Amino acid sequence: MVQVRALHPTNHDGSVNIDAWIARMQQRVPLTSPAVLQEACEWALELEQAAIAAENIWADGASSYLTGLEMAEILAELKLDQDSLVAAVVYRAVRERKTDLAEVERRFGATVAGLVDGVQRMAAISVSQNPGKASAFCAQTQVENLRKMLVTMVDDVRVALIKLAERTCAIRAVKDAPEEKRYRVAREVFDIYAPLAHRLGIGHIKWELEDLSFRYLEPAQYKQIAKLLDERRLDRQEYIDDVMTQLRRELEEAGIHAEITGRAKHIYSIWRKMRRKGIDFSQVYDVRAVRVLVPQVRDCYTSLGIVHSLWRHIPNEFDDYIANPKENGYRSLHTAVVGPSGKVLEVQIRTQAMHEEAELGVCAHWRYKGTDASSVSSNAYEDKIAWLRQVLEWHEEMGDIGGLADQLRVDFEPDRIYLFTPDGHVLDVPKGATPLDFAYRIHTEIGHSCRGAKVNGRIVPLNYILQTGEQVEIITGKHSSPSRDWLNANLGYVNTSRARAKVQHWFKQQAREQNVQAGKLMLDRELTRLALNGADYAHLIDKLGIRSQEDLFAAVGSGDVRLMHVVNVAQQLIEPDRHSEQLELIPRRATKPARRGDVFIQGVGNLLTQLAGCCQPVPGDSIIGYITLGRGVTVHRADCATAMQLQDRDSDRLIEVSWGGEPIQTYPVEIYIKAYDRSGLLRDVSQMLANDKINVLEVSTRTNKDDNYAVMLLTVEVPNINMLGRLLARISQLPNVMEARRNRKEAST
């Protein structure tokens, strides 16, 4: 039921008394610096007073400043840290664009700004179903994807808790809002945030969100149950008082010091049980209920024996959630008995610690990053994140409203990303997916006719790697068909097996003659590009186990045989003494990253390295290298005072270094590039190589003024022929590039 909460302490003029409010907060949670929280409150008030009146999001008369205070009070009940409270106070001001994250970071630090940013990202999640528009996605799948997407966007549990506090304030505030707004907020809270509170084990927030959502989603049934509860409230309370007195006396005689309270049954929980079991209100056993809190686990079972000795227990109405906890970690003993006067009574028995976990969930376990290092291990924060992830992987149970299934089993899949369609639906695809993968995820025909894509309103290439939370719009052509380039793994157009299979199937349906012609063109082009055009096709088809040259071309053209597989076999035939993954060496010594003390220096050969004695960096530190005179490279911590002085005095001799694992053997290869001359060509090529972490050893360019084209010769280091193939394919995609191929040199004797 709706909880009545104390109003903020006020001054004579009705304004919030910040000093008294801060003092009240300190009674709930230790503040490291009350002055910082007070500054946040005063700043939020200044921003609200200075801002031009804007449309309120939740209800007429809503105040972002008072909402921030209310959010902070909810978080204080959950025992969150000061950074979380500050973030809650200023969040609405940032959301309503009265200030920005840069100013928040300047005033309160990166942690607070990061929390606000995380909550803003979660604000993108909403149930935006349009009932007047046909949808290809069922409601259950949509809600499941929204929940999964929400989980993947949470890197810090405090972000989820702040968002829960914000949604709790939102649904409290829509009491007098228009019916459409009440329903929309309630739908979102019920479908996403009440289950999230359940997953995190935060009982009292879960119950409030469910009851308030139920009130607006099913107002008639809510009022009916509320009326039945009110009619019998006085009699029920007298009955519960008598039960508690009798039970307290029996427990004291057994030497058990227990705290016994009457337990309010929540309206939504009553309705769900009535609907699930097909029973009347009078048959809901736990409308009359007491809760027993004891010191130790053994006291729980002793108390259970006393309860069962006092009153006859009802078969099949006993649950031991201590021996078998619920999926969200909830532990307690539940039993139903025939109490005094023959009335059914539910009794819950748990320890004080179990009760705290049931009410606060993950917050009862939380140890904050930045707490006393002497008492908290350096991995405490990461351990709790891992613990949260484990909780989020568990399955949950919830009721059926609005056509959703009665039992929703939700898997959190960390290897998937979640994307918005322009209509607000959410689809999941594997990590590394491209717009083409997304198009085929929607529908095969949309994939076949895809000719472009927009991500968050911006045109992107079809091999762009998508990220969770992005909105993707597919641009289609009227009579378009797949491109054979989509099957070339080097170009990175399709990265999911689903999309690749759809493209392959399309080409299999085409005439064999077309596949033969296309396959021959693709294979000849790739072998020429990689300087492997000396391959003997007779030996090649024999090695591949294919009957004829024509069959080979048809298989490549239809996608049955991958192009790079044929290329690797061709190279092995040309260079039988070398491993199929290695390149033929051109006449210069292959280079390796240098190693000393697990420090690797990319692209500078076998330089001597040594760790600086002034700062003594260890693996994991951010580091930088300084080229000395005659002693190789000295590695400093990036924040070392000496390194900072060198940066000011001798920055040309500073180089990037990094900790690393075993070095990868690389081979120098010369690349020939021919392109129409234009401004920025060399910059684009260099940027692409830098993004792929390709080391460049030599560069030479020349321009033919008569024909207006440029030729570039680059010597780069690559680990194998597959990387070279991808590199050449990507260079070929750059604007104005006519040709990009390997420039084979004959080894000198």
Side-chain angles (χ1 to χ4, degrees):
M1 296 176 66
V2 180
Q3 300 180 29
V4 179
R5 297 175 180 270
L7 297 174
H8 307 304
T10 58
N11 297 310
H12 294 300
D13 61 358
S15 62
V16 177
N17 185 328
I18 293 297
D19 291 334
W21 185 82
I22 295 285
R24 191 167 75 180
M25 297 294 282
Q26 281 185 289
Q27 294 174 359
R28 299 176 180 175
V29 62
L31 301 176
T32 55
S33 178
V36 174
L37 183 57
Q38 182 162 352
E39 179 189 351
C41 295
E42 292 172 350
W43 184 51
L45 180 59
E46 290 174 10
L47 290 172
E48 178 156 294
Q49 292 174 339
I52 300 174
E55 179 184 357
N56 291 309
I57 294 177
W58 299 331
D60 293 337
S63 161
S64 62
Y65 165 63
L66 294 179
T67 298
L69 298 185
E70 186 178 0
M71 287 170 60
E73 290 185 347
I74 293 171
L75 298 175
E77 292 175 3
L78 299 177
K79 311 301 181 187
L80 260 68
D81 61 350
Q82 179 172 292
D83 285 339
S84 304
L85 305 187
V86 172
V89 169
V90 304
Y91 168 71
R92 293 301 311 178
V94 177
R95 173 82 184 275
E96 295 171 16
R97 299 183 180 179
K98 296 172 182 174
T99 187
D100 56 27
L101 285 172
E103 181 62 16
V104 172
E105 182 170 357
R106 188 185 72 79
R107 285 175 175 265
F108 305 109
T111 299
V112 172
L115 291 172
V116 173
D117 182 45
V119 182
Q120 280 193 300
R121 287 189 288 117
M122 287 181 69
I125 302 168
S126 61
V127 181
S128 52
Q129 301 273 16
N130 186 347
K133 190 172 184 179
S135 172
F137 311 102
C138 70
Q140 178 175 341
T141 301
Q142 173 70 358
V143 173
E144 298 300 328
N145 282 337
L146 282 165
R147 290 183 189 159
K148 293 176 186 177
M149 180 177 175
L150 182 150
V151 170
T152 63
M153 294 178 71
V154 177
D155 298 321
D156 186 329
V157 65
R158 293 175 293 180
V159 172
L161 297 172
I162 295 170
K163 184 62 182 178
L164 280 175
E166 189 245 12
R167 290 290 86 188
T168 302
C169 294
I171 200 163
R172 289 175 185 172
V174 296
K175 180 180 179 181
D176 299 319
E179 182 179 352
E180 184 277 331
K181 179 178 285 188
R182 286 203 308 269
Y183 186 90
R184 175 167 48 84
V185 173
R187 182 82 270 164
E188 178 188 51
V189 166
F190 184 86
D191 286 341
I192 298 175
Y193 294 102
L196 181 64
H198 172 71
R199 282 174 168 240
L200 298 178
I202 308 171
H204 75 280
I205 287 185
K206 173 206 171 187
W207 293 121
E208 180 176 4
L209 294 181
E210 284 184 340
D211 271 9
L212 287 175
S213 300
F214 181 54
R215 177 179 182 177
Y216 301 132
L217 295 173
E218 301 286 346
Q221 302 199 49
Y222 178 92
K223 290 177 182 176
Q224 179 187 5
I225 296 174
K227 183 179 179 181
L228 291 170
L229 284 172
D230 286 339
E231 287 175 351
R232 305 179 183 181
R233 189 179 304 276
L234 186 58
D235 291 340
R236 188 168 60 251
Q237 190 58 52
E238 291 178 355
Y239 181 85
I240 292 296
D241 288 342
D242 292 340
V243 166
M244 289 193 299
T245 300
Q246 186 177 352
L247 183 55
R248 187 177 292 110
R249 183 174 59 249
E250 294 292 333
L251 291 174
E252 287 176 354
E253 289 179 2
I256 297 176
H257 303 288
E259 178 184 339
I260 306 175
T261 57
R263 187 180 71 84
K265 184 64 178 176
H266 299 277
I267 292 177
Y268 169 70
S269 179
I270 294 173
W271 177 85
R272 183 177 65 179
K273 180 168 288 189
M274 290 168 59
R275 181 168 180 175
R276 187 174 70 243
K277 294 189 174 184
I279 58 178
D280 186 68
F281 178 82
S282 61
Q283 297 174 282
V284 179
Y285 296 150
D286 51 355
V287 169
R288 291 175 293 273
V290 296
R291 178 177 292 143
V292 181
L293 304 182
V294 294
Q296 303 292 330
V297 173
R298 64 174 179 268
D299 298 329
C300 294
Y301 292 97
T302 303
S303 302
L304 177 66
I306 292 173
V307 169
H308 284 175
S309 67
L310 282 173
W311 305 296
R312 179 173 61 84
H313 80 275
I314 300 174
N316 301 321
E317 292 294 333
F318 169 68
D319 293 295
D320 187 348
Y321 295 121
I322 295 178
N324 300 290
K326 287 188 177 182
E327 294 88 343
N328 64 353
Y330 174 86
R331 295 183 297 159
S332 183
L333 297 177
H334 291 192
T335 187
V337 298
V338 179
S341 305
K343 295 180 179 178
V344 175
L345 170 74
E346 186 193 62
V347 182
Q348 293 184 357
I349 307 170
R350 63 180 71 147
T351 66
Q352 295 282 357
M354 292 175 191
H355 180 63
E356 184 177 0
E357 290 175 9
E359 294 299 300
L360 301 182
V362 66
C363 308
H365 300 267
W366 188 248
R367 290 177 292 175
Y368 300 103
K369 190 175 187 179
T371 52
D372 183 8
S374 64
S375 60
V376 180
S377 72
S378 59
N379 292 325
Y381 181 79
E382 290 75 13
D383 289 345
K384 289 307 171 185
I385 288 293
W387 184 88
L388 171 66
R389 296 290 184 185
Q390 181 182 352
V391 170
L392 294 173
E393 288 180 26
W394 289 337
H395 300 300
E396 65 169 332
E397 288 185 350
M398 61 174 286
D400 185 351
I401 286 184
L404 296 179
D406 185 55
Q407 301 280 332
L408 290 180
R409 296 175 61 81
V410 181
D411 268 330
F412 164 52
E413 301 176 73
D415 58 341
R416 301 187 75 80
I417 59 173
Y418 301 89
L419 306 163
F420 284 115
T421 69
D423 292 334
H425 295 292
V426 177
L427 290 181
D428 64 313
V429 293
K431 275 187 178 179
T434 66
L436 264 177
D437 293 313
F438 182 79
Y440 278 104
R441 172 69 175 82
I442 297 172
H443 195 278
T444 301
E445 291 306 318
I446 292 178
H448 288 343
S449 60
C450 175
R451 281 300 169 265
K454 290 183 179 180
V455 171
N456 296 333
R458 178 174 58 89
I459 294 286
V460 298
L462 290 180
N463 54 7
Y464 171 85
I465 301 300
L466 298 168
Q467 303 294 325
T468 283
E470 291 178 328
Q471 183 188 66
V472 185
E473 179 183 352
I474 300 300
I475 301 170
T476 59
K478 289 185 178 179
H479 304 290
S480 300
S481 59
S483 166
R484 293 185 190 274
D485 283 341
W486 295 357
L487 293 174
N488 187 344
N490 291 332
L491 298 177
Y493 285 120
V494 291
N495 293 330
T496 64
S497 57
R498 174 194 178 103
R500 178 172 294 278
K502 296 288 187 183
V503 177
Q504 289 174 343
H505 180 73
W506 190 91
F507 282 113
K508 284 180 183 179
Q509 304 304 310
Q510 309 309 303
R512 176 178 170 84
E513 292 75 14
Q514 292 180 348
N515 286 332
V516 170
Q517 292 175 6
K520 184 178 189 308
L521 180 63
M522 293 167 63
L523 190 54
D524 287 345
R525 182 177 60 190
E526 197 66 17
L527 292 175
T528 301
R529 177 186 290 168
L530 294 170
L532 295 173
N533 42 350
D536 186 332
Y537 276 114
H539 289 117
L540 187 58
I541 61 175
D542 183 60
K543 188 76 173 177
L544 290 166
I546 296 176
R547 288 182 300 177
S548 67
Q549 233 175 269
E550 186 177 278
D551 287 345
L552 171 62
F553 296 148
V556 172
S558 66
D560 284 341
V561 174
R562 293 203 178 196
L563 183 61
M564 283 311 297
H565 175 60
V566 180
V567 168
N568 278 310
V569 174
Q571 186 200 8
Q572 193 174 26
L573 290 173
I574 292 174
E575 304 162 0
D577 296 331
R578 304 215 58 83
H579 188 278
S580 63
E581 287 284 19
Q582 294 180 346
L583 294 167
E584 177 188 15
L585 298 183
I586 62 176
R588 67 182 283 141
R589 188 174 180 180
T591 59
K592 276 187 185 180
R595 174 170 186 169
R596 183 179 178 85
D598 286 330
V599 181
F600 293 89
I601 306 174
Q602 299 292 341
V604 295
N606 295 318
L607 285 183
L608 175 69
T609 63
Q610 56 189 346
L611 301 180
C614 53
C615 56
Q616 297 180 333
V618 296
D621 288 340
S622 178
I623 54 177
I624 193 168
Y626 176 71
I627 303 174
T628 65
L629 297 176
R631 290 183 292 111
V633 175
T634 301
V635 178
H636 294 263
R637 280 209 325 261
D639 59 355
C640 172
T642 303
M644 293 179 180
Q645 292 174 4
L646 292 172
Q647 190 164 8
D648 294 334
R649 190 179 70 230
D650 209 0
S651 60
D652 291 342
R653 292 165 67 182
L654 291 174
I655 61 173
E656 290 187 7
V657 295
S658 62
W659 307 101
E662 287 296 327
I664 299 173
Q665 181 77 48
T666 58
Y667 304 92
V669 177
E670 187 172 83
I671 293 176
Y672 171 91
I673 302 173
K674 183 177 180 181
Y676 293 110
D677 194 22
R678 65 172 173 85
S679 175
L681 177 63
L682 180 59
R683 179 201 61 211
D684 290 348
V685 173
S686 300
Q687 184 64 50
M688 196 206 71
L689 294 171
N691 290 342
D692 285 346
K693 296 182 171 57
I694 300 295
N695 191 43
V696 181
L697 300 177
E698 295 177 13
V699 178
S700 67
T701 63
R702 71 174 187 271
T703 303
N704 187 321
K705 297 295 185 183
D706 296 334
D707 296 330
N708 195 34
Y709 69 82
V711 171
M712 302 171 59
L713 293 177
L714 292 83
T715 302
V716 300
E717 290 185 316
V718 291
N720 52 53
I721 199 165
N722 288 339
M723 175 59 78
L724 178 60
R726 285 194 292 271
L727 182 62
L728 293 173
R730 294 190 61 189
I731 293 175
S732 299
Q733 299 294 307
L734 293 174
N736 290 38
V737 172
M738 295 183 283
E739 182 182 6
R741 58 177 170 81
R742 178 184 179 189
N743 198 37
R744 180 186 287 275
K745 292 184 179 180
E746 297 301 328
S748 57
T749 57

